[in-house]
Amino acid sequence: MLRKKTNGVARRSQRTSILSEAAGASVDRRAFLRGSGLVIGGLSAIAATGGTVTQASAATAVAGQVDLKKSVCTHCSVGCTVIAEVQNGVWTGQEPGWDSPFNLGAHCAKGAAVREHAHGERRLKYPMKKENGEWKRVSWEQAIDEIGGGMMKIREESGPDSVYWLGSAKHNNEQAYLFRKFAAYWGTNNVDHQARICHSTTVAGVANTWGYGAMTNSYNDIHNSKSVFIIGGNPAEAHPVSLLHLLRAKEQNNAPVIVCDPRFTRTAAHADEYVRFRPGSDVALVWGILYHIFENGWEDKEFIRTRVWGMDQIKEEVAKWTPEEVERVTGAPGSQLRRVARTLANNRPGTVIWCMGGTQHTNGNNNTRAYCILQLALGNMGTAGGGTNIFRGHDNVQGATDLGVLSHTLPGYYGLSAGAWAHWGRVWGEDADWLGGQFATTTGVDGKEKSLQNLSGIPVSRWIDGVLEDPDNMDNPNKVRAMVFWGHAPNSQTRMVEMKKAMEELDMLVVIDPFPTVSAVLHDRTDGVYLLPACTQFETRGSVTASNRSIQWREQVIDPLFESKRDEEIIALLAQKFGFHERLFRNIKLEEDGLTPEPEDTLREINRGMWTVGYTGQSPERIKKHMENQHTFDRTTLQAIGGPADGDYYGLPWPSWGTPEMNHPGTPNLYDMSKPVAEGGLTFRARFGVERDGENLLAEGVYSVGSEIQDGYPEFTMQMLMDLGWDGDLTADERAAIDAVAGAKTNWKTDLSGGIQRVAIAHGCAPFGNAKARTVVWTFPDPVPIHREPLYTNRRDLVEDYPTYEDRHAYRLPTLYASIQKQDFSKDYPIILTSGRLVEYEGGGDETRSNPWLAELQQDMFVEINTRDANNLGVRDGQQVWVEGPEGGKVKVMAMVTNRVGAGVAFMPFHFGGHFQGEDQRSKYPDGADPYVLGESTNTAQTYGYDSVTQMQETKATLCKIWTA
């Protein structure tokens, strides 16, 4: 077994950086440029602008002072600190954050190359429009005028819902919040971002189990785990720095690592136990493990009795999953799963980790709930070393989700009810009638007119259908006519053949991004396309939320390069064009230009409204204090030991209850009752009522340390404070604010003073109540998670036993299930096709494939084919092959013959674009803005399929056929 050999912290080099050395010693120009990389990242990029920005000579750079700026990596959700070295406004070097408790002085390949992301010469440099098939440079004034004018014309003719606002997990929190607020002021819920297609099934499944839909513990807390169970995740490639923390548990605790994945990944190479199973059979696999846990009485009976509701119904379902049936469905041997179950039972607390391998399915919400139920059965929740450590994807996908860049909710998961709009209307100081008047109305099935203000919009996974579907089949009044891709890679979405058609049918296509993206080239449009150069996150400042709910602050590293503008400025320009700039920013300070909202004050408005998830205590001042004093935080607990932030948890992981003045330290591990709520403890949220079918839904005889209510209790309202006699603890100002909302009916989520939260916590209680987690979600299509076969399955013998759903209508659109599954494609398309990440690239790959340091590492798009399948098909390693999906989309890629995938399964990464069905589209990019590496997108061959609750796309279990090109 492995034993501890180091403390797990990267050793800092004793040498000073080349820049520090250069400042105090003479160095020739060539040596300086070679050492700093400035020739590629700085001077070449400047020269490419035709002198738009001032060129800094090497001599001046050497002689000048080196300013250190602290930022956060813009790739995955670990939240690694980047220390940028800046001279005369030029970013000349970088180091990892040695003091950061997250990356501990380490970087992955992508993090080590982020300077090139900012200074990259393949960026968009000025606004452009496509005119008569040619890219033409235009001014910002012309672009905003033409785009805004065109959109107002569409609005007048077809309504506000004919413009789709697609946001980004690359926006910082302030930009994400302003983006969602902007969409509300435009008058539409047709707004969404990448979370829909990465972890929407996590958010829905987990939130409906115990209250909040986020990572419960942290990367650092894995240090405390006695076992690590990873399913549908490959953190060694997707979150490389997280392995620092995961492997510490393996090394220090002898924690067995179990990896369940259809593919033998780089993460699986670290495992003590690797379980290969058939794509799309996660629920069956987890129930197969639970079968042995229940059979042997290994479940935590007391935890279940006091803190869990509905486990008896789970036991009934699990009893059907005998080892023989599990092996028939998943391919995993029953004896192996018994060994896994015993390992988990004998090594508690253990943590469960998952990523998109578990979420991107038509029954993804069933998968995520099954993972949660496994942890509840083992009693691994609400404890250090336990929890569900859900690894989010993009750097701020957690924050953008929290801030409501989604088609079904406002910021803070308030939803779209009249009460939710009233709450945010109060925060914004907005007239409810004016705001409601911005939205269109529709006629319901009952013949009554209703406002689309309260109806979920079209999700990003289905925007294609918003363009192509007959309006008579939609709840959207008219077709989508204009698409705004604001920091989004379209090649990260399935059905790209239909996407191309949808792009060509639009009146207008607008891309706002540091790079042109595949949106610029996928279609054959000759007009009506605009490319607006947005800044990177290194050219602005603001906060960003890591996967563990900690919030960090990015300093601005450099001024905007070329003619790029910060996203918040572009929002302001469009708001000005549409005539609601003054309304939108009435309570937010503007920068000196009188146009652009200030990030710090934008965060303060977020603090005034986000009571549900506790984004209220993280003022910009507190977050900046944490960034300045990273060295004071413990590397495992994340708690500051002395110093200016003494007692706080790093980044004030939400919920940080109450106002900033309350000084709540943040909540490191959700639902941990071993601490007082005031010190970061928490119960399960009372979100689902107090009883169900006569059964108690509140906790039984258990409570957080220091609670004056020593049993379960519902969420707090003003009436509850009055009934308890605690309302006398409110200040006069707090009472007045509560009375102004709804008096005694005001609850902990809508009280803008924070008084209800403050008083509840003062008495040791959680503002959201103390309930049981529920294993049965009666509002979902499958209240108890069950296995359902994928729409495109080659196991026709299982369809009758485990059918998919009937066709249904959701999110304004018809959604197909049974009508697809009843067709047998398996004879012509016999191989299961799945997809995933590579360590070198991220997301749709536009940024990373435009980075020469990363592009050099992986230059070819490929498909992994099992050795047996390759030999049967006559395919040789390195040969070009065609991979075609059952809907006709096909890609031409290089074959990698390997046993990473099992027989009958093929894998492709999803980071490539710029080739389409064998056609090289490089010539369609604006000059000098094409990524170094192009390739086919796996999503050209990927097929239809959407989760029954969230409309998550299916990318992990479709079919294909492969032949030599």
Side-chain angles (χ1 to χ4, degrees), residues 770-845:
N770 178 18
K772 293 178 178 177
R774 64 172 180 174
T775 62
V776 180
V777 181
W778 53 83
T779 53
F780 276 16
D782 296 324
V784 172
I786 62 174
H787 170 67
R788 292 183 182 274
E789 277 296 296
L791 301 191
Y792 291 95
T793 177
N794 58 5
R795 290 295 303 275
R796 305 307 300 176
D797 58 311
L798 295 175
V799 170
E800 184 177 349
D801 294 336
Y802 305 106
T804 188
Y805 308 94
E806 293 300 317
D807 294 357
R808 49 193 292 140
H809 194 94
Y811 286 88
R812 305 191 184 186
L813 293 164
T815 308
L816 307 179
Y817 292 97
S819 59
I820 292 177
Q821 193 184 66
K822 70 181 181 182
Q823 304 173 65
D824 184 359
F825 296 93
S826 61
K827 292 181 177 62
D828 294 329
Y829 300 89
I831 297 175
I832 297 172
L833 175 62
T834 191
S835 65
R837 293 176 183 262
L838 299 176
V839 70
E840 298 88 356
Y841 297 139
E842 198 247 351

Side-chain angles (χ1 to χ4, degrees), residues 367-692:
N367 292 347
T368 61
R369 287 187 291 139
Y371 308 152
C372 293
I373 290 165
L374 175 63
Q375 286 294 76
L376 289 170
L378 290 166
N380 278 336
M381 293 308 302
T383 182
T388 51
N389 280 310
I390 304 144
F391 288 11
R392 299 300 299 262
H394 290 291
D395 61 307
N396 201 37
V397 69
Q398 183 63 56
T401 305
D402 298 336
L403 275 303
V405 186
L406 297 162
S407 65
H408 64 279
T409 186
L410 287 165
Y413 310 96
Y414 277 83
L416 296 173
S417 67
W421 283 103
H423 168 74
W424 281 106
R426 286 190 290 270
V427 175
W428 297 335
E430 192 50 79
D431 177 74
D433 291 337
W434 179 88
L435 194 57
Q438 291 292 94
F439 287 80
T441 58
T442 187
T443 304
V445 289
D446 56 2
K448 294 182 180 178
E449 194 175 74
K450 57 182 179 181
S451 173
L452 290 173
Q453 186 178 22
N454 308 117
L455 187 68
S456 293
I458 297 171
V460 58
S461 52
R462 305 294 305 279
W463 77 263
I464 302 166
D465 299 304
V467 178
L468 301 178
E469 186 63 66
D470 184 337
D472 290 341
N473 297 331
M474 297 192 292
D475 292 331
N476 215 51
N478 291 289
K479 290 188 174 189
V480 171
R481 294 174 55 189
M483 274 298 300
V484 182
F485 288 94
W486 203 322
H488 180 80
N491 50 313
S492 62
Q493 292 183 237
T494 57
R495 300 169 58 202
M496 287 188 65
V497 175
E498 290 169 280
M499 186 186 297
K500 178 178 184 292
K501 182 181 179 185
M503 285 181 168
E504 290 165 354
E505 287 198 13
L506 292 167
D507 291 33
M508 181 190 297
L509 174 59
V510 180
V511 178
I512 307 176
D513 201 281
F515 297 86
T517 78
V518 172
S519 300
V521 301
L522 176 63
H523 49 80
D524 292 322
R525 297 181 66 102
T526 57
D527 295 281
V529 185
Y530 293 86
L531 306 179
L532 303 184
C535 290
T536 68
Q537 287 298 317
F538 301 112
E539 296 154 87
T540 186
R541 66 189 192 277
S543 67
V544 58
T545 306
S547 196
N548 74 309
R549 299 167 285 107
S550 284
I551 301 175
Q552 301 184 94
W553 189 266
R554 286 187 177 120
E555 291 183 288
Q556 184 168 331
V557 176
I558 51 175
D559 289 335
L561 291 179
F562 319 120
E563 291 182 21
S564 60
K565 290 186 181 294
R566 294 180 291 163
D567 293 285
E568 58 267 36
E569 182 182 356
I570 302 171
I571 290 172
L573 286 168
L574 288 169
Q576 191 176 61
K577 176 67 178 177
F578 296 144
F580 52 71
H581 180 278
E582 189 175 330
R583 285 180 175 271
L584 192 68
F585 305 121
R586 60 158 59 90
N587 296 320
I588 300 173
K589 291 178 185 174
L590 301 179
E591 302 276 18
E592 290 181 3
D593 62 3
L595 172 79
T596 309
E598 181 188 280
E600 287 85 354
D601 215 45
T602 303
L603 179 54
R604 292 186 188 102
E605 183 168 286
I606 294 170
N607 295 155
R608 291 194 292 271
M610 292 271 285
W611 302 97
T612 41
V613 287
Y615 259 76
T616 51
Q618 303 94 337
S619 66
E621 293 78 15
R622 293 186 77 193
I623 299 171
K624 289 178 181 181
K625 188 198 314 180
H626 283 211
M627 296 299 290
E628 292 162 7
N629 295 279
Q630 288 178 319
H631 62 285
T632 65
F633 292 88
D634 185 87
R635 298 321 193 228
T636 296
T637 67
L638 294 178
Q639 191 167 30
I641 304 169
D646 187 28
D648 283 358
Y649 292 97
Y650 180 68
L652 301 169
W654 64 257
S656 175
W657 297 111
T659 61
E661 292 71 31
M662 255 185 70
N663 230 30
H664 187 273
T667 308
N669 298 330
L670 295 176
Y671 321 121
D672 180 0
M673 298 194 302
S674 70
K675 299 184 184 75
V677 177
E679 297 175 16
L682 208 56
T683 52
F684 286 133
R685 182 176 173 184
R687 190 177 182 181
F688 317 114
V690 297
E691 67 170 18
R692 174 75 178 172

Side-chain angles (χ1 to χ4, degrees), residues 24 73 77 123 180 230 349 403 423 530 687 756 785 869:
C73 179
S77 66
R123 282 177 55 175
R180 185 58 180 94
I230 304 171
L403 275 303
H423 168 74
Y530 293 86
R687 190 177 182 181
I756 293 176
D869 294 329

Side-chain angles (χ1 to χ4, degrees), residues 718 727-740 751 753 755 758:
M718 178 60 176
D727 57 309
D729 295 349
L730 294 167
T731 68
D733 288 344
E734 288 170 341
R735 186 177 289 274
I738 290 167
D739 288 342
D751 166 20
S753 74
R758 184 185 63 77

